[in-house]
Amino acid sequence: MTDGTTVTEPAREGGPVRVPEAELAVRTRGLTKRFKHQIAVNGIDLQVPVGSVFGFLGPNGSGKTTTIRMLLGLIQPTAGSHELLGRPVPEHALPLVGSLVEGPAFHPYLSGRANLARLDAADRYSDPATMRTRVDAALDRVGLLPAAGKRYRAYSLGMRQRLAIAAPLLMPRRLLILDEPTNGLDPQGTREVRHLIASLSDTGATVLVSSHLLSEVEQICTHVGVMNAGTLVTQGTVAEVRVGGTQRARVQTPDPAGAARVLTELGLTEVQQQDAAALGTVGDVAVEKVVPALVHAAIPVLGFTIERPSLEDLFVALTGEGFDVNG
Amino acid sequence: MSTVELPAGGAAPIGLRRPRPVSSRFLRSELRLIFGRRRNIAGLAVLALVPIIIAVAVKVSAPRPGDGPDFFASITGNGLFVPLAALTVEITLFLPLAIAVIAGDSIAGEANLGTLRYLLTVPVNRTRLLAVKYAAITIFAVAATMLITVVGLVIGVALFHGGSMTLLSGNQIGFGGGLLRVLGATVYLAVQLAALGAIGLFLSSLTEQPIAAMAGLVVMTVVMYILDSIPQLGWLGPWLLTHRFTAFGDLLRSPVAWDTLRQGVICAASYALIFWLASWARFAGKDITS
Ligand SMILES: Nc1ncnc2c1ncn2[C@@H]1O[C@H](COP(=O)(O)OP(=O)(O)OP(=O)(O)O)[C@@H](O)[C@H]1O
Ligand SMILES: [Mg+2]
């Protein structure tokens, strides 16, 4: 793995006008896309803070890719607007945005290297003198250098996906928009992508990554947004979103019945008794009041924990159990 | 937090060098794609084969004056007529077909592969993309006609006489003058084909199926030929692009009959402009869902 390109900041003294960097790398206002028969994205206000790794979640057909296509200017929104990197005309930010949209797409009879060279040639901002080194560095970063000269049509699914991830790495980026980057990758590849996202994030880039792998998202993301049937049902830091979910208080005690009574009195719901524990859903009750109340009622407390739902539980709670896609 | 430059007056955004105002890099990449593709090389080889076949056929058979197109009869007199005969034969189908393949592929091919979305997010401005694609089609048109002419000239001069040329009007001109007129005819035909390519570009921006765009352009060409051949539709003829395709023969008269040639160029330029603008109108705001 070689070091990737980093963004060179402009000279701090003198030079052109400078303004504070935008707080939000992506901001949409009422972004809406209606296809003939359905609303694929329905008035979402997405806010991706600068420097975050933002997990963009949602069941199949919930509108993630459609949103990403609108952000990149591939499709026109039916209503609403968006800003990228603080620029009201998002097209102006695109040279600083690397993207992966709905899987890899390359010329089958060109090699992986030639395909990247073609994308680089199309880029008015790239320097032809450094093209070869940048192409090879990008290929190296996704572990594809040994197969760089192979024709794309001879690539395996995972190799194709890796090439698609290499493409946005050709140039320094402030924002990466990656639609299901780990699709089709082996465990090593998945791990590498995770490291890659972390290292991109370390250089100060913002990463918007859509994924279905929740454990994955939980490991790398600082923020999440959850789509369901075209609407953004929740967004925020991972902790914030979790708090929005149902927290369960668990009291370990030799007197579960007594503890359950206290929890009910405090206003916790769905109170349950187990062998040596009582549980309740916290809801609006202030968590810090629970233990003093138990002590006050002379219930022996051996342990007290707040159980947060896993992202997966939360995801299912927000988007429903059903297996059917929203057609 | 760090600071960024405002992209004032078209300056580069943060951390990036200024964009090159004009660069042939993308166009060169496009040409490499076209001329590096085996299918296209095979197509060009077929185009180049025709003048060879014509020259050899005329050489081995006894000349029968008055048989076949004008140029054929003149070949034995001067090898310069080989490229002209080849161009006349190929303009009916082979050349339009070759342009259809390249132009049909231009946008629809990228859409079909999905590479269009990655080009646009590089980003490549959509107008720039259409300009580069059309420039590549035009260059291909020039390359295809020039290939036929060069191969025709070489084999023609090798198998028959070079020297002075007897024009269709009976006058004699020197070899240099003849060569110039043959090259003029080639350029004229390239211009006509480039106009056809603009129609192809437009069709290509309508679909995600390159084959559909290619077939569409071939069908349109054939329909224009058919309409042009119906005497009752004589009024329509001058408006058809194909009507003056073979007018390059006028260059082989003395004095040159410029009228039809001029009309031919104006007609081609109008077709090119109208269909390029139509492609732009279609493509500039199109949703790319491939
Ligand atoms: N070109 C199109 N024409 C009509 N409907 C479309 C089009 N593209 C997407 N849709 C519809 O919009 C909805 C959202 O699709 P989208 O691709 O954004 O989902 P997604 O969240 O990316 O799903 P997945 O997780 O499967 O990738 C779907 O119901 C889909 O059928
Ligand atoms: Mg998707």
Side-chain angles (χ1 to χ4, degrees):
Chain A
M1 285 273 189
T2 57
D3 212 36
T5 42
T6 50
V7 177
T8 37
E9 293 294 337
R12 295 197 180 244
E13 300 304 325
V17 204
R18 282 179 277 148
V19 292
E21 194 167 330
E23 298 289 306
L24 293 174
V26 177
R27 174 190 203 122
T28 75
R29 294 190 179 86
L31 201 62
T32 301
K33 183 66 191 182
R34 178 194 293 275
F35 290 113
K36 263 174 218 132
H37 304 293
Q38 70 177 123
I39 297 188
V41 174
N42 193 359
I44 66 169
D45 298 310
L46 191 66
Q47 302 192 341
V48 179
V50 163
S52 64
V53 177
F54 191 101
F56 197 34
L57 311 175
N60 293 135
S62 58
K64 303 181 297 294
T65 302
T66 305
T67 304
I68 288 175
R69 280 183 189 273
M70 283 192 282
L71 293 181
L72 295 170
L74 291 172
I75 59 180
Q76 302 288 327
T78 313
S81 63
H82 69 283
E83 289 174 9
L84 290 183
L85 299 168
R87 285 166 181 79
V89 184
E91 286 76 52
H92 292 172
L94 283 183
L96 291 166
V97 180
S99 58
L100 171 61
V101 193
E102 207 148 60
F106 293 97
H107 290 278
Y109 37 84
L110 293 184
S111 69
R113 185 182 275 129
N115 267 298
L116 292 190
R118 173 166 168 78
L119 286 175
D120 197 65
D123 192 345
R124 287 170 69 232
Y125 291 88
S126 75
D127 182 3
T130 58
M131 193 264 280
R132 271 206 81 91
T133 40
R134 283 182 295 110
V135 165
D136 279 9
L139 286 167
D140 194 21
R141 242 180 140 179
V142 297
L144 213 52
L145 206 46
K150 226 180 191 179
R151 292 203 319 170
Y152 175 74
R153 59 171 305 161
Y155 277 14
S156 71
L157 177 66
M159 287 159 85
R160 290 173 181 204
Q161 184 73 13
R162 284 168 190 248
L163 189 63
I165 298 170
L169 304 179
L170 285 171
M171 292 284 282
R173 309 289 187 191
R174 302 299 286 158
L175 171 64
L176 287 123
I177 298 182
L178 307 174
D179 193 7
E180 294 178 39
T182 53
N183 209 4
L185 293 187
D186 52 27
Q188 291 93 324
T190 312
R191 240 170 88 111
E192 286 301 321
V193 167
R194 222 157 50 216
H195 291 163
L196 189 72
I197 289 175
S199 74
L200 288 167
S201 178
D202 287 344
T203 67
T206 309
V207 186
L208 171 66
V209 52
S210 95
S211 179
H212 296 122
L213 302 175
L214 296 163
S215 57
E216 184 85 14
V217 167
E218 215 159 8
Q219 283 180 60
I220 58 170
C221 291
T222 59
H223 292 68
V224 290
V226 180
M227 292 287 290
N228 189 33
T231 51
L232 188 64
V233 287
T234 185
Q235 69 178 327
T237 64
V238 174
E240 280 168 8
V241 168
R242 280 234 187 102
V243 167
T246 49
Q247 295 181 76
R248 298 274 286 171
R250 167 186 286 269
V251 182
Q252 277 170 300
T253 171
D255 179 9
R261 185 168 31 80
V262 174
L263 292 182
T264 312
E265 281 166 8
L266 271 173
L268 277 73
T269 51
E270 296 171 74
V271 174
Q272 272 179 298
Q273 290 178 40
Q274 289 178 353
D275 271 355
L279 292 97
T281 301
V282 179
D284 293 334
V285 181
V287 177
E288 63 276 10
K289 289 194 184 146
V290 176
V291 176
L294 289 163
V295 174
H296 192 253
I299 308 289
V301 178
L302 301 178
F304 177 77
T305 44
I306 295 290
E307 292 177 348
R308 291 171 195 278
S310 73
L311 215 46
E312 183 170 325
D313 296 333
L314 206 68
F315 183 79
V316 171
L318 286 168
T319 61
E321 288 274 1
F323 180 62
D324 291 342
V325 299
N326 296 94
Chain B
M1 209 68 256
S2 60
T3 56
V4 289
E5 288 175 37
L6 267 185
I14 41 154
L16 293 175
R17 35 181 248 129
R18 254 161 222 285
R20 291 158 286 147
V22 184
S23 162
S24 62
R25 239 180 120 204
F26 185 28
L27 178 61
R28 278 182 284 141
S29 153
E30 193 63 34
L31 293 176
R32 266 197 301 277
L33 207 60
I34 289 176
F35 291 102
R37 189 163 174 184
R38 223 180 312 171
R39 179 192 71 188
N40 299 345
I41 295 172
L44 286 171
V46 171
L47 292 182
L49 210 58
V50 172
I52 299 177
I53 292 173
I54 290 175
V56 171
V58 171
K59 186 77 182 170
V60 298
S61 68
R64 278 174 297 167
D67 218 15
D70 290 345
F71 299 130
F72 279 82
S74 311
I75 287 177
T76 46
N78 193 312
L80 286 177
F81 282 105
V82 172
L84 295 171
L87 288 173
T88 309
V89 168
E90 299 204 49
I91 192 61
T92 55
L93 183 64
F94 281 9
L95 279 169
L97 190 63
I99 293 296
V101 169
I102 301 302
D105 223 13
S106 58
I107 303 289
E110 302 268 11
N112 191 254
L113 289 175
T115 45
L116 185 57
R117 64 173 184 270
Y118 287 115
L119 276 181
L120 292 179
T121 53
V122 154
V124 176
N125 175 287
R126 294 190 186 201
T127 309
R128 178 172 161 239
L129 184 70
L130 281 177
V132 167
K133 288 287 183 183
Y134 189 57
I137 293 169
T138 304
I139 291 172
F140 180 83
V142 173
T145 46
M146 275 298 169
L147 177 72
I148 295 169
T149 296
V150 169
V151 171
L153 280 174
V154 169
I155 187 111
V157 172
L159 293 190
F160 307 98
H161 307 280
S164 62
M165 185 182 200
T166 308
L167 294 179
L168 299 180
S169 50
N171 323 38
Q172 286 259 334
I173 56 166
F175 183 77
L179 194 62
L180 209 61
R181 286 170 191 241
V182 171
L183 290 180
T186 312
V187 171
Y188 175 83
L189 216 48
V191 169
Q192 300 298 319
L193 289 171
L196 200 61
I199 305 179
L201 182 74
F202 172 65
L203 294 177
S204 192
S205 70
L206 295 180
T207 168
E208 285 171 18
Q209 296 303 327
I211 302 290
M214 293 173 198
L217 187 57
V218 171
V219 167
M220 274 188 74
T221 310
V222 171
V223 166
M224 282 195 280
Y225 275 132
I226 291 173
L227 291 179
D228 200 17
S229 70
I230 300 176
Q232 285 77 4
L233 295 179
W235 54 271
L236 187 62
W239 301 95
L240 298 170
L241 179 62
T242 54
H243 185 65
R244 300 177 195 86
F245 271 8
T246 47
F248 65 85
D250 288 356
L251 277 167
L252 278 300
R253 294 175 204 286
S254 185
V256 173
W258 287 111
D259 271 3
T260 321
L261 290 170
R262 198 180 305 119
Q263 286 166 13
V265 170
I266 292 172
C267 176
S270 311
Y271 265 88
L273 186 68
I274 289 168
F275 277 94
W276 193 88
L277 287 177
S279 327
W280 182 82
R282 173 74 186 114
F283 189 64
K286 189 189 184 191
D287 278 357
I288 305 302
T289 52
S290 60

